[in-house]
Amino acid sequence: GTLATNSVDSAELIDGAIDDSHMAAMAASKLTGALPAISGASLTGLKAGSSYFQAKCDANTWSTFAANTKLPFNSTHYNVGSDYSTSNNRYIAPADGVYYFHFSIYTANADAENGFMFRKNGSASGIQDNHNSISAHSAQGDGDKTLHASLVVQLDQDEYVEVYTYTGSDFYSGHSCWGGFRIA
C-alpha cells in the first residue's frame, strides 16, 4: 500500500527511528536542551583570533644595538597558540592568513637617530615604507621617546616576522614590547 500525503507525523515515529544516517541537515534553531561539550580539537576553519601574542624582554636595561640587529624580545605576556618563539624572538605563522603586528619601542635621542623595522622571513622588502626599510624612525629633538609601528601582512604557514633595528639605536627593554594576531 501507499501512505497518503502528510499521513505520518512525529506521533507515528518511534524513538530512535531517525538517526544520523537519515538526517542531511538541521537548522541550529531546532536545537534545544543541554548540548554536549565540544572539544576545540574538533573545530575546523578557525581563522581570526586563533593565534596571538605579546612579547617583551625579561630585563629592564638600556642597550645600544647596531643597525640590522634583531631585538631580544625573549619573554611573553601571553602566547596563545604558542607561535611566538622566545628562543629566536620570532613569530611563526601557524596557518595561511592575514596578520596584524605592532611594536612600541622606548628609545632615546642619545644617538643621531633611532630606527626600527619589521622583517618578514628575514627581509624588509615590500612590507615597510617606500624605501622598504623603516617602520618607525626618530631623528629629532632631545630625550626619550616611544616609537610605534604596525603592519598588516599576508603570511603563509611557517613564514615568520621579527623586529630589527634599522639604524644603530638605543633600546630600553623595560618599556618595549611587540605583538600580533591573525585577522583573517
Side-chain angles (χ1 to χ4, degrees):
T2 303
L3 295 173
T5 302
N6 296 326
S7 64
V8 177
D9 62 19
S10 60
E12 282 79 28
L13 298 176
I14 61 171
D15 288 343
I18 300 177
D19 57 20
D20 290 345
S21 67
H22 293 93
M23 189 174 301
M26 180 190 321
S29 62
K30 302 279 187 205
L31 298 173
T32 61
L35 297 175
I38 299 173
S39 165
S42 301
L43 301 176
T44 61
L46 293 179
K47 290 187 180 181
S50 59
S51 177
Y52 56 94
F53 76 100
Q54 184 171 7
K56 60 181 182 154
C57 299
D58 61 6
N60 297 329
T61 60
W62 277 104
S63 300
T64 300
F65 293 104
N68 300 307
T69 302
K70 186 182 347 178
L71 294 179
F73 291 104
N74 57 4
S75 183
T76 59
H77 286 293
Y78 46 83
N79 191 6
V80 174
S82 300
D83 299 310
Y84 183 80
S85 171
T86 57
S87 64
N88 63 14
N89 309 316
R90 71 173 48 152
Y91 176 82
I92 302 168
D96 296 358
V98 178
Y99 293 80
Y100 171 85
F101 297 98
H102 64 89
F103 66 64
S104 295
I105 298 176
Y106 194 83
T107 188
N109 201 32
D111 307 6
E113 59 184 324
N114 294 281
F116 304 93
M117 63 181 160
F118 292 105
R119 286 190 179 178
K120 173 184 171 184
N121 302 325
S123 173
S125 181
I127 63 170
Q128 309 300 331
D129 66 4
N130 290 337
H131 303 287
N132 293 321
S133 56
I134 305 172
S135 296
H137 181 258
S138 171
Q140 303 165 354
D142 294 329
D144 300 350
K145 300 171 181 42
T146 302
L147 299 180
H148 304 279
S150 60
L151 171 68
V152 175
V153 64
Q154 172 73 40
L155 296 176
D156 293 333
Q157 183 174 353
D158 297 326
E159 290 189 311
Y160 60 90
V161 175
E162 303 161 305
V163 177
Y164 275 76
T165 58
Y166 173 69
T167 61
S169 299
D170 293 336
F171 171 78
Y172 183 70
S173 58
H175 299 318
S176 300
C177 66
W178 82 289
F181 52 89
R182 186 174 178 180
I183 56 177

